[in-house]
Amino acid sequence: MQGRIVKLISNDYTVLSDNKTYVCKSRGLFRNKNIKPLVGDLVIFDEENNYILEVLPRTNSLVRPPVSNIDQALIVSNVKPTFDTNLLDKLLCIIEYNNIKPIICFTKLDLLNEEELIHINKYISYYKKIGYQVFVNTEIEEIKKIFKDKITVFTGQTGAGKSTLINNIDTNFNILTGEISKALGRGRHTTRHVELHNVCGGLVADTPGFSDVDFYDMKKEDIRDNFIEFNDYKENCKFRDCMHQNEQICEVKKKLEENEIIKSRYENYLNFIRRSL
């Protein structure tokens, strides 16, 4: 029988098939083959003995959060107490690399003063301009429309407001939310396991928050190619393999000087490729 893993707690896999759920164990054979079933996996399972027999091929997967076959990722990025462009750009790059559609949702704009709001709106306009779908957390009715017939993962730094946003989207949820530690500017881990929920005609994963992610097996060229706006200009660079770093004739650096590329994006890019060496 075929189904999809929608919850993982310890070694118990909840599999959804024909609107029924089955709590299954995985075969010991998987450990020998270094196969770990993930939430989102399509599987063949024995419904009588409650064992997962086979994990079907994945379209994609993420390590953190550990979810597979994702259509889109909603990156929840808080602008208060600080707006972390480094983490946002890192998530965008990694998600693009994994062939997942990134969508950005900015939270906590209500905590900004007028000057801070003007500053943040410049970033919102830029990310929209380069092709990303961008929301603020008060646009609940518009956000609800993105979930239909999709598997969506929520991601972002701990304390960014992922669980609160999900609660506001679907009031049937009762996901525990936590207060941000004002001293550290970081949140407690309030989401305890990975699970796919039925939301607005699709499946949504609420996953443990995290304070750091990395590029894993990505090369510096992969990082370059997944800064999507750079691809609009690379044909006019002098060198075909231009890394937009030290080359003298580089269209990306020219567009940076012309303020067509925002400074934080370029600086984050340089930081990422240097760390990947």
Side-chain angles (χ1 to χ4, degrees):
M1 194 168 182
Q2 182 172 318
R4 186 185 299 277
I5 298 174
V6 294
K7 185 193 299 187
L8 169 57
I9 301 179
S10 187
N11 292 316
D12 290 332
Y13 297 85
T14 301
V15 178
L16 175 67
S17 181
D18 293 332
N19 296 317
K20 291 179 61 178
T21 58
Y22 305 79
V23 178
C24 299
K25 299 289 186 180
S26 63
R27 296 175 64 189
L29 178 64
F30 291 159
R31 288 193 295 273
N32 296 334
K33 292 186 175 181
N34 199 27
I35 297 172
K36 181 174 176 57
L38 298 176
V39 169
D41 276 342
L42 291 170
V43 296
I44 304 298
F45 69 103
D46 180 343
E47 69 272 25
E48 293 183 2
N49 297 304
N50 289 359
Y51 268 95
I52 295 174
L53 304 175
E54 180 183 356
V55 177
L56 299 178
R58 298 166 178 158
T59 58
N60 55 46
S61 64
L62 291 177
V63 176
R64 295 187 67 183
V67 186
S68 69
N69 298 318
I70 310 148
D71 296 305
Q72 55 192 18
L74 185 60
I75 304 170
V76 184
S77 179
N78 55 299
V79 299
K80 200 74 173 179
T82 57
F83 173 40
D84 191 345
T85 64
N86 185 283
L87 179 60
L88 175 58
D89 288 337
K90 187 185 290 186
L91 286 169
L92 287 169
C93 185
I94 292 169
I95 290 165
E96 290 277 2
Y97 176 71
N98 283 279
N99 298 313
I100 299 166
K101 178 184 177 182
I103 302 171
I104 304 169
C105 180
F106 290 104
T107 65
K108 307 185 182 181
L109 276 76
D110 58 309
L111 302 179
L112 302 179
N113 60 37
E114 185 175 349
E115 183 178 345
E116 290 170 331
L117 187 59
I118 291 171
H119 179 69
I120 290 299
N121 279 333
K122 291 179 181 178
Y123 285 96
I124 292 174
S125 297
Y126 181 79
Y127 285 108
K128 286 182 176 179
K129 183 188 80 170
I130 63 176
Y132 289 115
Q133 194 171 7
V134 181
F135 297 98
V136 297
N137 63 307
T138 54
E139 297 175 305
I140 298 299
E141 292 306 313
E142 292 303 310
I143 294 172
K144 286 180 179 179
K145 297 175 183 177
I146 71 172
F147 300 114
K148 186 172 176 57
D149 299 325
K150 304 289 185 183
I151 293 181
T152 306
V153 61
F154 276 64
T155 192
Q157 191 171 23
T158 303
K162 297 184 296 296
S163 293
T164 300
L165 181 61
I166 293 176
N167 284 335
N168 289 334
I169 291 168
D170 189 332
T171 55
N172 291 321
F173 279 170
N174 187 25
I175 295 173
L176 180 66
T177 58
E179 295 180 356
I180 293 178
S181 165
K182 293 181 181 179
L184 297 177
R186 295 165 59 188
R188 302 188 194 97
H189 289 255
T190 56
T191 309
R192 303 301 180 186
H193 62 273
V194 182
E195 181 174 356
L196 291 176
H197 303 274
N198 288 300
V199 176
C200 302
L203 293 172
V204 171
D206 184 44
T207 58
F210 55 91
S211 57
D212 190 32
V213 290
D214 215 333
F215 293 102
Y216 302 107
D217 61 343
M218 293 177 67
K219 300 175 183 177
K220 63 180 183 178
E221 291 82 6
D222 297 323
I223 296 171
R224 175 197 63 194
D225 294 343
N226 287 285
F227 269 70
I228 59 173
E229 69 269 45
F230 293 4
N231 295 326
D232 294 334
Y233 308 121
K234 65 181 182 181
E235 294 299 325
N236 292 323
C237 292
K238 181 177 181 180
F239 301 105
R240 187 174 182 181
D241 60 348
C242 184
M243 289 301 300
H244 320 309
Q245 186 178 15
N246 300 316
E247 298 86 352
Q248 289 186 343
I249 301 176
C250 171
E251 189 71 9
V252 167
K253 292 196 294 184
K254 179 183 176 184
K255 293 302 179 181
L256 175 69
E257 293 173 0
E258 296 172 353
N259 295 318
E260 289 295 318
I261 293 174
I262 201 166
K263 186 178 179 182
S264 64
R265 283 278 285 176
Y266 183 72
E267 289 179 344
N268 288 337
Y269 164 72
L270 293 181
N271 179 41
F272 298 159
I273 62 172
R274 286 166 185 158
R275 287 175 57 185
S276 71
L277 296 175

